[in-house]
Amino acid sequence: MGSRVRAASYVVLDEAARRRRQRKALEALELDNFHDDPHANLVMHKKAPKFDESLDGKTRPDRKRKARSFEYFKQRFRKTFSSLLEEEQQLEPDPPNYTSAAARPSARPERHLCAVCGFPSTYTCVQCGTRYCSARCLHTHQDTRCLKWTS
Amino acid sequence: MTASGTLVLDNGASLLKAGLASHKDPLVMPNAIMKAKSERRRPFIGNQIDECRDASGLFYILGFQKGYLVNWDVQKTVWDHVFGKDCLGLNLSRLNVVVTEPFFNFRSVQEAMSEMMFEEYDVAGLLRANAGDLCVAAEPARPDNLCCLLVDAGYSFTHVVPYIQGKKRREAIRRIDVGGKVLTNHLKEIISYRQLHVMDETYVMNQLKEDCCFVSQDWRRDMKQAALPPADNPILRHYVLPDFTSLRRGYMKPRDSAAAPAAEGEQLIRLTNERFSVPELLFHPSDVGIQQMGIPEAIVEAVSACPPETWPHLYRNIRLVGGSSRFPGFRDRVYAEVRALAPDELPVKVTQPEDSVTCAWRAGAKLAGESRFSSRLVTRAQWEEHGFNICLDTFDV
């Protein structure tokens, strides 16, 4: 019964789809958080813009200058990493620079590890290309992750 | 430049190390704002996290992205806390400040840092340097350390930097985009898949990584041993997860209790090959699909990019710094691999300071008292006269 159901919707991911998934996996490794801000829906939000820093009326004479210059900073220097990188690449197009310093691919062959148990693997899932080491790991993979969350 | 008049700030992406140069040890705290599910009224800044009762599902807000400081809001909040009365209680306007930057720091970030220090904090003098430069400059000059090959294994990436006569050789610097963050995230992913959903638990998983992981000296042998049944398995360990009511911090159970079942209410994580396959990423980033060479190969490449007459000096003085170099077995593994790859006739020596995390801070503190460093400061007067250009001329970042 199981194999009949599967045969009806037999999908094999092509090379492009596999590379897309790999890239997503790599991007996931760079994230700081995997869940949402727990304070995001608070009515009293700490990150609300503070227009008047001193609510109790105590203002130093140069306070206004400082507050203004920090607001100026935040506007001027609010950039994402990719826009900063682009800017830097224009300023310093010749090596040595950030881009040229990146290590190149290794001369050693890649080692393949089973996605399920982490031990060395020799087999690849036909549909999605994930590596596995044994029939048991293959069944776990097919039941849980194979082609779930296809991108 | 005096030690008591200088603040040394090693501004890392994960940990911030700050203190007056005259202090014995720096204040070490996370360089982030953290939000807890249970404590909805306030975020935790830096070391305030110690006050948090329930550190599960902590949400991190970092000023750094991919190793470079992009979010000044967050950074200023953390700095205000560090310099404020809860921590150091300093007024920067009378102090010289030594602050660290990553290698190849972007021009606009350098500008922002200089402006932030002079305009916002009113410092008396500023010195921006790479953390590695401080580590190398603080070593007393001996005939065997004319050159140094520094490996800085940090949170965002790992840099291999050759220093020839105290000056870094920019075209030979190599960056591997694997650091503490990638290691912790990879660990979270594999544990989430195999055992328990921990993707939200960065704080706890980081502690697990620091407590249980080690660098294998022989990957094949350790893989075989990790697969053995529990009685013969030298690598299998269980880690007790904190529940924040009775147990605030997790710990690894000792070997002989591996067979014993979990006690009442304990949540255990079973660790076999994860213990060494996670730090293995520093040596084989291709294990997760990052197409870059590992640390030993990068060392050889970096040295080869330098003039041949420096090679013996570089191989003889390899230094490992940075938080991610603290895994047990890291130094021995780097030595073994570099010895195998380097030319036979050249001696190879790999050293690690006592504390890889505070090494750069201590170096900065030591240098703060030396007169040769004062020529490298940019004073307030110089900043007001020349602006950012004087920083470009004075600092070698």
Side-chain angles (χ1 to χ4, degrees):
Chain A
M1 167 70 165
S3 58
R4 251 196 294 142
V5 170
R6 193 164 293 130
S9 60
Y10 188 71
V11 178
V12 174
L13 289 185
D14 61 357
E15 200 41 54
R18 289 178 192 201
R19 255 177 282 147
R20 241 180 293 139
R21 293 188 118 205
Q22 243 191 343
R23 212 176 341 124
K24 276 214 161 161
L26 282 181
E27 277 166 32
L29 275 178
E30 282 287 332
L31 292 177
D32 286 334
N33 297 292
F34 292 85
H35 56 304
D36 301 319
D37 190 344
H39 293 186
N41 297 323
L42 273 189
V43 174
M44 185 192 73
H45 207 308
K46 278 281 170 186
K47 285 184 102 75
K50 289 199 179 112
F51 294 111
D52 189 344
E53 295 239 75
S54 53
L55 292 167
D56 52 5
K58 281 202 295 268
T59 36
R60 295 202 312 250
D62 57 344
R63 190 90 174 124
K64 226 174 164 188
R65 177 183 73 84
K66 280 215 167 127
R68 205 169 42 219
S69 71
F70 184 54
E71 286 302 315
Y72 157 75
F73 265 113
K74 288 200 292 193
Q75 292 313 314
R76 200 177 140 195
F77 296 115
R78 173 167 297 163
K79 290 180 183 147
T80 61
F81 177 80
S82 25
S83 62
L84 277 175
L85 181 58
E86 259 180 52
E87 213 186 287
E88 185 70 11
Q89 282 166 335
Q90 283 176 346
L91 272 175
E92 304 257 356
D94 308 314
N97 58 16
Y98 174 81
T99 325
S100 70
R104 290 172 311 129
S106 169
R108 297 174 176 174
E110 217 178 277
R111 303 186 297 206
H112 306 310
L113 299 175
C114 174
V116 178
C117 66
F119 287 98
S121 91
T122 31
Y123 315 109
T124 321
C125 173
V126 178
Q127 279 100 315
C128 71
T130 314
R131 308 213 179 252
Y132 63 94
C133 65
S134 55
R136 187 159 50 163
C137 286
L138 174 65
H139 293 320
T140 313
H141 167 73
Q142 284 174 335
D143 292 336
T144 52
R145 258 205 194 167
C146 192
L147 297 182
K148 305 281 193 302
W149 317 300
T150 334
S151 48
Chain B
M1 205 163 148
T2 59
S4 55
T6 308
L7 168 76
V8 181
L9 172 62
D10 185 359
N11 203 37
S14 168
L15 292 174
L16 173 163
K17 286 74 76 180
L20 283 177
S22 48
H23 289 173
K24 192 161 152 291
D25 295 305
L27 214 55
V28 180
M29 68 174 78
N31 192 4
I33 299 177
M34 289 151 283
K35 293 192 183 167
K37 309 191 293 247
S38 53
E39 191 78 34
R40 301 197 129 226
R41 273 168 297 136
R42 55 173 282 209
F44 295 93
I45 306 174
N47 58 0
Q48 286 179 345
I49 193 64
D50 296 329
E51 300 162 21
C52 178
R53 271 177 302 113
D54 184 0
S56 60
L58 272 189
F59 185 82
Y60 277 75
I61 306 174
L62 295 171
F64 280 77
Q65 214 188 332
K66 296 207 82 172
Y68 295 91
L69 186 44
V70 301
N71 191 334
W72 285 97
D73 249 330
V74 173
Q75 186 65 85
K76 184 167 191 300
T77 314
V78 181
W79 279 351
D80 286 343
H81 171 72
V82 175
F83 304 145
K85 54 179 166 52
D86 294 328
C87 296
L88 293 175
L90 297 173
N91 178 359
L92 263 60
S93 56
R94 284 172 293 125
L95 295 175
N96 292 319
V97 174
V98 177
V99 67
T100 58
E101 292 189 335
F103 293 103
F104 295 110
N105 197 13
F106 301 145
R107 179 71 63 88
S108 55
V109 180
Q110 292 188 32
E111 264 185 61
M113 172 76 88
S114 316
E115 278 200 35
M116 180 66 96
M117 281 290 158
F118 279 116
E119 305 295 335
E120 192 65 22
Y121 288 105
D122 274 338
V123 299
L126 178 69
L127 198 158
R128 285 189 288 108
N130 298 126
D133 284 14
L134 295 177
C135 290
V136 172
E139 287 287 300
R142 294 188 307 266
D144 65 343
N145 67 355
L146 293 170
C147 303
C148 176
L149 185 78
L150 192 81
V151 178
D152 187 352
Y155 179 72
S156 324
F157 36 45
T158 301
H159 276 109
V160 176
V161 189
Y163 285 84
I164 299 175
Q165 293 183 311
K167 206 162 175 326
K168 61 180 177 285
R169 193 132 180 133
R170 292 173 72 93
E171 60 270 15
I173 298 180
R174 295 289 178 269
R175 181 190 71 251
I176 306 170
D177 294 306
V178 174
K181 175 163 58 167
V182 168
L183 298 181
T184 308
N185 281 343
H186 181 61
L187 181 63
K188 286 196 299 194
E189 229 185 274
I190 52 186
I191 293 189
S192 296
Y193 190 18
R194 296 168 198 174
Q195 295 181 54
L196 180 70
H197 184 82
V198 288
M199 292 308 278
D200 302 343
E201 308 287 341
T202 311
Y203 187 70
V204 178
M205 285 295 118
N206 204 56
Q207 288 177 339
L208 199 163
K209 179 188 77 170
E210 290 176 9
D211 290 345
C212 307
C213 292
F214 64 91
V215 176
S216 150
Q217 302 305 312
D218 182 343
W219 187 78
R220 288 202 171 282
R221 178 202 64 193
D222 284 345
M223 271 294 178
K224 288 210 185 80
Q225 291 193 328
L228 294 171
D232 311 316
N233 192 332
I235 297 178
L236 168 69
R237 286 285 193 284
H238 292 278
Y239 188 82
V240 182
L241 288 178
D243 60 3
F244 300 110
T245 39
S246 47
L247 187 63
R248 283 201 67 185
R249 196 195 190 286
Y251 63 95
M252 185 165 68
K253 281 184 143 183
R255 166 101 208 273
D256 27 334
S257 64
E264 211 27 67
E266 264 183 355
Q267 252 188 329
L268 291 182
I269 301 246
R270 189 173 182 273
L271 297 166
T272 50
N273 58 34
E274 298 89 349
R275 286 184 72 198
F276 57 89
S277 63
V278 165
E280 188 67 22
L281 293 183
L282 291 164
F283 297 85
H284 282 261
S286 52
D287 281 355
V288 272
I290 295 174
Q291 298 303 335
Q292 287 190 322
M293 54 180 66
I295 292 179
E297 286 179 273
I299 290 178
V300 174
E301 255 220 15
V303 173
S304 311
C306 297
E309 60 268 17
T310 57
W311 294 356
H313 300 278
L314 285 167
Y315 278 121
R316 204 157 53 154
N317 193 14
I318 301 177
R319 292 186 68 200
L320 309 172
V321 297
S324 296
S325 67
R326 285 197 301 179
F327 289 115
F330 189 81
R331 194 217 75 91
D332 294 333
R333 173 72 181 272
V334 171
Y335 171 74
E337 292 228 25
V338 173
R339 178 69 282 178
L341 290 171
D344 273 348
E345 66 275 10
L346 300 179
V348 172
K349 183 156 169 246
V350 181
T351 51
Q352 240 180 338
E354 260 193 53
D355 189 352
S356 321
V357 169
T358 56
C359 176
W361 185 90
R362 290 180 200 285
K366 184 167 165 224
L367 289 163
E370 293 179 14
S371 52
R372 61 182 163 121
F373 229 46
S374 7
S375 58
R376 296 179 49 177
L377 264 188
V378 167
T379 61
R380 218 184 148 61
Q382 286 173 315
W383 167 263
E384 282 175 357
E385 201 182 316
H386 300 113
F388 182 61
N389 289 327
I390 188 114
C391 291
L392 284 175
D393 297 330
T394 322
F395 301 143
D396 172 32
V397 274

